[in-house]
Structure formats: structure tokens, C-alpha cells
Amino acid sequence: VIKWNSFKSLYNAEDTIEGIEYKENKPVAIIYTSGTTGVPKGAQLTHDSINAVAFQYRYPFPYNRGDRFLDIMPPFIAYGLSCGIHMPLTLGLTLVIIPAFVPEEFPNYILKYKPNFFMGVPAHFEYIVTSEKMKDVDLSFVKVAAMGGDALNPDLELAIDKFLKDHNSSSKVYKGYGMTEMSAAAASTLSCINGEKFGSVGVPFQHNVVSVFEPGTDHELKYGEIGEFCICGPGMMYGYFNNDEETDKVLIKHSDGKIWAHTQDVGYIDEEGFIYFKDRIKRIFVRPDGHNVWPSVIESTVIKHDAVKDCAVVGLPNPKGKNGKIPAAFVVLKDGVERDKAEIEKELREICLKEIPERDGALLYYFIDEIPHTPIGKVDYRALENGDWEIGEYSL
């Protein structure tokens, strides 16, 4: 850590960039993956890869030099470094950097700085749409409100869009999709020049290719078929720091001769090129009876209940043996809901039986005050998995 005054003393106004030799694929930053579904790894991002992300925003971004950009994302993640700091400065925007990462203060920052652009994760936007301070605020100064970094449930997306419209902003909530290993964003609804589709995370930025492959192979799937997203583009990392073994698992040369970044994300692409994210491969788990469970399927079904504000699904240890995990839904009710939780649970089970196959639903339900989040605003699934929960009766 270097204090600001010490940092300033290192700068010499007489210095120039002349004579500095350009080296292709030279690492400039090591950004560690979040570790929410695995062990964190240090991705070596290069001058080329971070610059590529910045310039990919140049054409879809409706900006003028000097416009104000509010950055609440911390600089130790690729999203914050590439999209929150380097990109706005590269485009000539005025950058407001928040020194302390306090998500619940986000509404106050918007009121104070009146940014034309801001980016965050879904948890940030919840604070905006529910804040009493934002109730009567004119947001006509907001050109782009964007989010990424975590899945966005449909109800919250609709609520944000309505909130922005009711408060005079020309922006919808723009969604992005990417990964640390691609220096942050690789696709966005900002790139949808012919209109976006609800539920999609958009289309690739220029010079990026996103395709779907059968997991563990380089067999490319057809439109509409669910498989693993792989990305090829200029934002690709140099590799993991001191970890060639893990690098070789992610950056894989396919039979087409190209190196693809395997995302460990599952979804599909429609015939117009729109990307639909379904789940993380590492979040999918197996029940004791051998059946695969997709947490996002349960979450998107439970959230349809009128009383439910949020939901997260994880696999809890099997108390009856060593094999498999028990699907558990952690449910947050909307403010003011005072109904009997047992009755709500009964209704949630009925909704799931109606909407999805019985074996795909949750076996256990827990009502909690809020979903835990990591310091950067992502859902902390590990905290739920490792919690001291009493596992009641269930039937496979």
C-alpha cells in the first residue's frame, strides 16, 4: 500500500513515454478470481487485454468527453479495474472513485455526484430502487446504468427498468457478461444495436467471439442447445500466475486452431446471437439419488411467488450418507410480509411442482433475513453451504 502523497512524489513532470518499448502480451496486473465457487487464481492481465476492453466500450457507449462516471467497483477485481477505472479514463470521462466500498451508500453517491454513467452488481441496484432518498429524485442525467458480476433475477430487472423510467432516465439497466480471465466484460446489452431481449445478457463486444460447446470438449453446439460458454477475443489473459496446470484447463486450443477461454458457465445462444446465461457448472450438484440439480432453475421459480424478495439455492451435506447433497432454498421475504412461513413454504413447493420436474426442486426451505454477499457484492454461496443449518426431514 502506497499513500497518495508518496505516490505523487514518484511522478516526474519531465518524464515522457517516448522510448518505452512495447512488448506484446506483457502482464500489467494480477487479478484474483472471486473464489465464490472455487479456489481463487491470479489472472495475469496484459496491457493489450485491458486496453481491448476499454476500446470495446468506445462505440456502444453514448458518451461525450468530460461526462461523469461513478465507479463503485473495487480495483482489485477485473470489473473494477478494466471497466470502472481504465475504460472511463481512456474515453476521456471524469472519473469519481469511491474510496470505501459500502454498497448501501450507493444512493448517496448518486445524489452527490449525479453521474452520467455507473456500473455495479445486482445488490447495488436493490439499494437504489428501495431507497427513500431516491423516491422523488430526477435521474435524467443518467445515460447508462449497467450491471454485471452476478445473475440478475427477472423481477429485479423489471423493477430497475421501471424505476429508471419513472425517474426520467433514458437508460434501461444494461447487463454485461464476462470473466476475470477475459479482463472483465466480453458481451453486453449495450452492443444490441437492434434492441435487446429480456433475459439475455446481450451480444459480444466487437472482436469477441462467444460460442457454446459440449462441456469438456471442443464440439460446438447449435443455436438453442445448452452447453458451456467459451470466449475468444483480445481481452484474454496471459495465463494464471505460477499455475500452468490451471491455465491449461481454461485456455484451450481447439481443433479450429484458436485458443478459447472456457468459462465454466452454462447457457445457450439463440439464432440472432443473443446470449442466455443459465448457471455456473460448479454450482450444479448431484443429489444422493444421482440426479443433477440446477440451482438457478429453482431460484427463478421460487422468486415468482408474490411474497418472495430473493432466493439462493445450494447443496447441503447429506446427513444420511457421504454421497450427494440436499437441495436447499434460502428465501428472503418482501418487507411487510407477515404471513405464516409454513403456509408460504407449502405454496412454494406447489409452484415448483407445477413449473419444474419434481426431482429438480428444493427439498429443504429456510427463511432468512437477507442473502449473504461477498465484499464485492456477489452472492456468497459458500457462506450458505457452510452455515450451521438444522436439516429437517426430507424425502427423495
Side-chain angles (χ1 to χ4, degrees), residues 116-193:
N116 307 112
F117 305 90
F118 59 86
M119 295 181 179
V121 297
H124 296 147
F125 283 80
E126 285 194 58
Y127 288 111
I128 294 175
V129 300
T130 59
S131 172
E132 282 295 318
K133 295 180 180 179
M134 300 291 290
K135 191 173 181 181
D136 299 315
V137 174
D138 182 1
L139 295 178
S140 56
F141 54 83
V142 177
K143 293 182 179 181
V144 169
M147 73 163 63
D150 211 350
L152 171 65
N153 81 58
D155 282 353
L156 180 57
E157 181 175 354
L158 290 172
I160 297 168
D161 284 346
K162 183 178 186 303
F163 182 88
L164 291 170
K165 181 179 179 181
D166 291 346
H167 290 73
N168 303 319
S169 171
S170 60
S171 176
K172 288 186 174 182
V173 57
Y174 290 99
K175 295 164 291 181
Y177 172 74
M179 61 190 303
T180 302
E181 293 82 353
M182 290 300 298
S183 303
S188 173
T189 53
L190 278 165
S191 297
C192 302
I193 58 175

Side-chain angles (χ1 to χ4, degrees), residues 27-33 39-46 180-181 237-248 250-251:
V28 66
I30 298 175
I31 301 292
Y32 277 81
T33 57
V39 178
K41 298 175 287 289
Q44 298 178 93
L45 307 186
T46 70
T180 302
E181 293 82 353
M237 70 173 181
Y238 180 74
Y240 293 126
F241 180 67
N242 286 342
N243 200 334
D244 292 340
E245 182 180 352
E246 289 298 322
T247 299
D248 293 341
V250 174
L251 303 185

Side-chain angles (χ1 to χ4, degrees), residues 21-129:
E21 182 182 359
Y22 165 75
K23 294 182 179 179
E24 186 178 7
N25 290 326
K26 181 180 180 181
V28 66
I30 298 175
I31 301 292
Y32 277 81
T33 57
S34 63
T36 52
T37 57
V39 178
K41 298 175 287 289
Q44 298 178 93
L45 307 186
T46 70
H47 293 279
D48 302 86
S49 66
I50 295 177
N51 281 332
V53 171
F55 280 97
Q56 284 170 344
Y57 277 91
R58 188 174 188 173
Y59 297 102
F61 234 41
Y63 73 95
N64 295 307
R65 289 183 65 86
D67 281 349
R68 186 169 292 177
F69 185 103
L70 175 65
D71 174 42
I72 194 173
M73 302 306 298
F76 51 78
I77 63 173
Y79 188 12
L81 178 66
S82 298
C83 300
I85 296 178
H86 188 63
M87 179 272 287
L89 292 177
T90 299
L91 301 185
L93 305 184
T94 301
L95 179 61
V96 178
I97 299 179
I98 304 304
F101 183 73
V102 185
E104 54 267 32
E105 290 294 318
F106 204 18
N108 293 333
Y109 300 146
I110 292 175
L111 292 173
K112 180 177 181 180
Y113 297 109
K114 293 182 170 53
N116 307 112
F117 305 90
F118 59 86
M119 295 181 179
V121 297
H124 296 147
F125 283 80
E126 285 194 58
Y127 288 111
I128 294 175
V129 300

Side-chain angles (χ1 to χ4, degrees), residues 334-345:
K334 292 178 179 176
D335 295 339
V337 174
E338 298 179 354
R339 293 181 52 200
D340 181 58
K341 291 184 174 65
E343 186 65 26
I344 294 176
E345 179 181 334

Side-chain angles (χ1 to χ4, degrees), residues 296-326:
S296 64
V297 172
I298 303 173
E299 292 165 354
S300 60
T301 304
V302 169
I303 202 74
K304 293 179 181 179
H305 193 288
D306 291 340
V308 175
K309 176 182 178 182
D310 205 355
C311 175
V313 173
V314 299
L316 297 182
N318 176 15
K320 301 177 182 179
K322 296 181 179 180
N323 296 324
K325 294 184 177 181
I326 310 303

